[in-house]
Amino acid sequence: MVLSNLNNRAGLEKLHPLMPKLFEFLEQNDMASLPVGIYEIVGRDLFINNQVPEDLFTAENAPIEVHRKYIDVQVVLRGKETMGWKPMEEVEEWRGEYDEEKDVRFSDERCEHYVTLKAGELVVFFPNDGHAPLIGASEEPLRKFIAKVRCE
């Protein structure tokens, strides 16, 4: 897991060969002004899910999720969002099997570490990072995007 902000482009671009393409796209597009939806940058190897989530969790009911194929770059554009983190190898019980098509597996365990992000801040979750996004109640509606970076 990496915690940072959009101003740390130089450092974040070193994390994966597709990261420079992500920041080029962000430089040319104001994600907060673009409609909600999927934006393919490099086909399904690098795409953005631009969203305004309405249903937020509490820390007590936020499921942990993990991915195998993609790195998540979760960026808050407006409002605040709390996210939990727990190393995948410490998750003891899973809810069902890994869904190959959706690239996700869930657990009902609780995270042990939490961070609250505000506009312009981001977190990078790698496949070994169990994470629980969408926690909290912001005074203003949450606006965020998740960049999915293929890593396999």
Side-chain angles (χ1 to χ4, degrees), residues 18-44:
L18 289 173
M19 290 295 247
K21 294 244 184 240
L22 171 62
F23 280 94
E24 288 171 19
F25 183 86
L26 296 177
E27 194 174 82
Q28 298 168 4
N29 296 276
D30 177 11
M31 294 308 297
S33 298
L34 289 177
V36 168
I38 304 294
Y39 294 85
E40 290 189 355
I41 302 168
V42 182
R44 297 306 285 179

Side-chain angles (χ1 to χ4, degrees), residues 97-111:
E97 297 299 315
Y98 168 73
D99 185 326
E100 180 86 25
E101 186 178 320
K102 295 180 180 177
D103 184 40
V104 70
R105 190 172 191 193
F106 293 101
S107 171
D108 292 321
E109 290 182 21
R110 300 289 64 92
C111 290

Side-chain angles (χ1 to χ4, degrees), residues 5-122:
N5 63 48
L6 289 170
N7 295 323
N8 188 19
R9 177 178 178 164
L12 294 166
E13 285 185 344
K14 296 175 185 175
L15 294 175
H16 189 279
L18 289 173
M19 290 295 247
K21 294 244 184 240
L22 171 62
F23 280 94
E24 288 171 19
F25 183 86
L26 296 177
E27 194 174 82
Q28 298 168 4
N29 296 276
D30 177 11
M31 294 308 297
S33 298
L34 289 177
V36 168
I38 304 294
Y39 294 85
E40 290 189 355
I41 302 168
V42 182
R44 297 306 285 179
D45 289 338
L46 174 62
F47 64 95
I48 289 176
N49 182 357
N50 196 20
Q51 52 186 237
V52 180
E54 295 179 11
D55 296 325
L56 300 179
F57 297 100
T58 65
E60 292 76 33
N61 71 359
I64 294 173
E65 60 184 68
V66 294
H67 312 291
R68 290 183 185 167
K69 299 177 187 176
Y70 289 96
I71 297 167
D72 273 7
V73 181
Q74 301 206 18
V75 182
V76 174
L77 298 169
R78 183 181 62 228
K80 292 182 180 178
E81 178 184 10
T82 299
M83 298 183 204
W85 176 81
K86 185 174 187 175
M88 185 176 72
E89 61 272 9
E90 291 182 16
V91 177
E92 296 178 9
E93 293 186 31
W94 294 97
R95 182 185 345 139
E97 297 299 315
Y98 168 73
D99 185 326
E100 180 86 25
E101 186 178 320
K102 295 180 180 177
D103 184 40
V104 70
R105 190 172 191 193
F106 293 101
S107 171
D108 292 321
E109 290 182 21
R110 300 289 64 92
C111 290
E112 296 173 16
H113 306 282
Y114 295 88
V115 62
T116 300
L117 280 67
K118 62 183 186 289
E121 295 178 335
L122 63 90

